[in-house]
Amino acid sequence: IILSRGLGGQKREKESVKQELTKLRELLKTVTKSTTPLGKAMDFIQEDLDTMARELEMWRAEAKQQQTAWAEQQRNTEEVLQPLYGQLHDLEDCINDQIMKIHTSKASILQHDQTVETLLRMVMAKSVAR
């Protein structure tokens, strides 16, 4: 907006200035109406940032608490399982011992079968020779 003086009379000049001032007032009203919500939004932004920061800290504390609880549960579980691991190891040793006994018995049976077969052949050979 340019405030200027015309070469015409003062009346025309006053009216021109009045019109320009009226336009300027209207523009100022428009700018004010537009910036007021922006100013309020800026106030809310800081409040929102503070709220989000508090919430972030709350969730970090919750995560730390849950992690500590999980670690404690993990330790408790390991403590409970230790005797069971020992029992499992003992049972596996017993199973392996039994398997070894079975293999030894099978080997002994096989050896006895071969001895019986050899003896039977000898008896059969004597019977046939007579």
Side-chain angles (χ1 to χ4, degrees):
I1 296 177
I2 300 173
L3 298 175
S4 61
R5 292 186 180 187
L7 294 176
Q10 284 198 2
K11 189 175 184 181
R12 198 183 323 151
E13 201 174 293
K14 281 184 182 182
E15 277 190 41
S16 175
V17 168
K18 259 186 174 180
Q19 286 177 352
E20 288 181 22
L21 283 174
T22 304
K23 286 181 186 177
L24 185 59
R25 281 187 191 118
E26 291 301 318
L27 285 172
L28 281 173
K29 284 181 186 178
T30 304
V31 168
T32 304
K33 285 181 184 179
S34 300
T35 58
T36 300
L38 182 62
K40 288 181 182 180
M42 294 296 282
D43 292 340
F44 291 133
I45 287 174
Q46 186 58 46
E47 289 176 20
D48 289 345
L49 286 174
D50 293 341
T51 302
M52 287 188 289
R54 283 191 303 273
E55 188 174 349
L56 176 63
E57 287 306 312
M58 178 194 72
W59 285 117
R60 283 183 177 163
E62 177 72 19
K64 187 175 182 180
Q65 180 184 2
Q66 292 298 323
Q67 187 176 19
T68 303
W70 177 81
E72 182 65 28
Q73 286 296 325
Q74 195 73 8
R75 278 191 295 277
N76 290 341
T77 301
E78 286 300 320
E79 287 176 11
V80 168
L81 288 178
Q82 280 305 317
L84 296 174
Y85 287 142
Q87 288 177 356
L88 178 63
H89 182 68
D90 292 345
L91 289 172
E92 286 174 344
D93 287 345
C94 286
I95 290 170
N96 287 333
D97 289 345
Q98 289 298 319
I99 289 173
M100 289 302 293
K101 286 180 183 178
I102 290 170
H103 288 315
T104 303
S105 295
K106 283 183 178 181
S108 178
I109 289 171
L110 257 169
Q111 189 177 16
H112 286 102
D113 278 350
Q114 288 174 349
T115 304
V116 168
E117 188 179 326
T118 305
L119 290 173
L120 282 175
R121 282 189 188 154
M122 287 175 28
V123 168
M124 292 296 286
K126 285 183 183 180
S127 316
V128 171
R130 285 193 191 173

